[in-house]
Amino acid sequence: MRQPEPAESVQPADLDRLADRGWPALERAELGAWTLRAAGGVTNRANSVLTCGEVPEVEAAVERAERWYRERGLPAVFQVSPATSPALVAALAGRGYREHSQTDILVADRAEVAAAGAAAGPIATSDTPPPGWLPTWWAVDGRGGAPERDIVARILTAAPALHAWAGSSDAPDAVARLALAGEWAGLYAVATLPAARRRGLARALAVALAVAAGGRGVRHLWLQVLADNAAAHALYSRLGFRPASQYAYWTAPSG
């Protein structure tokens, strides 16, 4: 019987596409091997060009992308990873784009995370989030008003996922989401209210979701964490996550 490939053998382009599936934009358009994505400016991922592929004429493709975003009243943003052509990086630098939000992609075998154990009280999981799930996440990581919150709600429910929470379903202390993508699943939207921190809830949520995903055919997990977030890196390393790739966003100069 063929042994399954370890999580860290996954290629950067595959991780880019998995993450795109896990946090899908509301509007999409293909530009050669690139994908233009928009969602009212809410989150970088859903409002940037997925560039894990080649296009025949890079400068012309960048201009078309800039026009597409300009028509939507959005800045042109490109997600750049090891799967991105060096020609695009050179083109963006030459046009004055700003690089920001350096992010690491970590991967783990689901069974290893599920076996990590947690002692932070009961965690509930469900295919659909309870009424208080989004308000808790929004209180920690939300940016904007009611229109932006509505867009986030649409993104969160646009792909199959498991949802976990600690505490009351009407007002959870902490929440997390695991996007399902075949044998892979991505950990997103981990958020703990300030009053409930330092109780191990983020760890407990990740473990509970890894356990629940075992019944969905999931073998491997991925997540994204800002490169300078030392606390998050330490937490996920203890759960068995290992670096596999990285990316950053490049945003067009204003004006």
Side-chain angles (χ1 to χ4, degrees):
M1 179 182 295
R2 183 179 68 87
Q3 294 297 313
E5 294 291 331
E8 56 265 35
S9 66
V10 66
Q11 296 300 304
D14 294 327
L15 285 170
D16 290 348
R17 296 187 183 101
L18 283 168
D20 177 55
R21 289 174 61 182
W23 192 268
L26 303 183
E27 184 179 4
R28 309 167 67 86
E30 301 306 315
L31 178 54
W34 296 353
T35 302
L36 310 179
R37 305 175 292 185
V42 178
T43 75
N44 280 313
R45 179 177 306 284
N47 293 272
S48 60
V49 184
L50 181 64
T51 63
C52 53
E54 300 284 345
V55 294
E57 298 180 15
V58 170
E59 289 285 355
V62 170
E63 291 176 1
R64 287 181 60 188
E66 289 175 340
R67 186 162 57 249
W68 193 84
Y69 284 100
R70 189 162 55 246
E71 290 168 352
R72 287 153 182 78
L74 298 171
V77 181
F78 290 77
Q79 183 183 339
V80 173
S81 80
T84 301
S85 166
L88 173 60
V89 177
L92 296 178
R95 299 170 82 90
Y97 275 66
R98 177 179 61 91
E99 183 182 17
H100 61 94
S101 304
Q102 290 278 352
T103 302
D104 293 325
I105 304 178
L106 313 181
V107 299
D109 292 317
R110 182 208 61 79
E112 182 177 354
V113 178
I123 303 294
T125 62
S126 174
D127 287 2
T128 56
W133 194 101
L134 181 56
T136 292
W137 182 83
W138 190 255
V140 177
D141 286 332
R143 295 174 179 84
E148 288 77 16
R149 177 169 155 163
D150 289 345
I151 289 173
V152 166
R154 292 172 62 191
I155 292 173
L156 288 169
T157 57
L162 292 170
H163 300 80
W165 63 97
S168 164
S169 61
D170 292 327
D173 293 322
V175 297
R177 170 180 178 266
L178 191 71
L180 302 174
E183 291 190 348
W184 282 85
L187 187 63
Y188 289 87
V190 181
T192 303
L193 293 175
R197 289 174 184 165
R198 301 187 182 279
R199 288 165 41 190
L201 294 180
R203 175 188 176 92
L205 290 165
V207 172
L209 286 169
V211 171
R216 306 301 178 91
V218 173
R219 292 180 177 272
H220 309 300
L221 305 176
W222 86 84
L223 59 83
Q224 300 96 20
V225 59
L226 287 172
D228 60 0
N229 190 338
H233 274 280
L235 165 65
Y236 294 123
S237 176
R238 290 193 295 270
L239 287 173
F241 283 89
R242 299 168 290 278
S245 188
Q246 64 277 327
Y247 64 87
Y249 293 104
W250 290 62
T251 298
S254 60

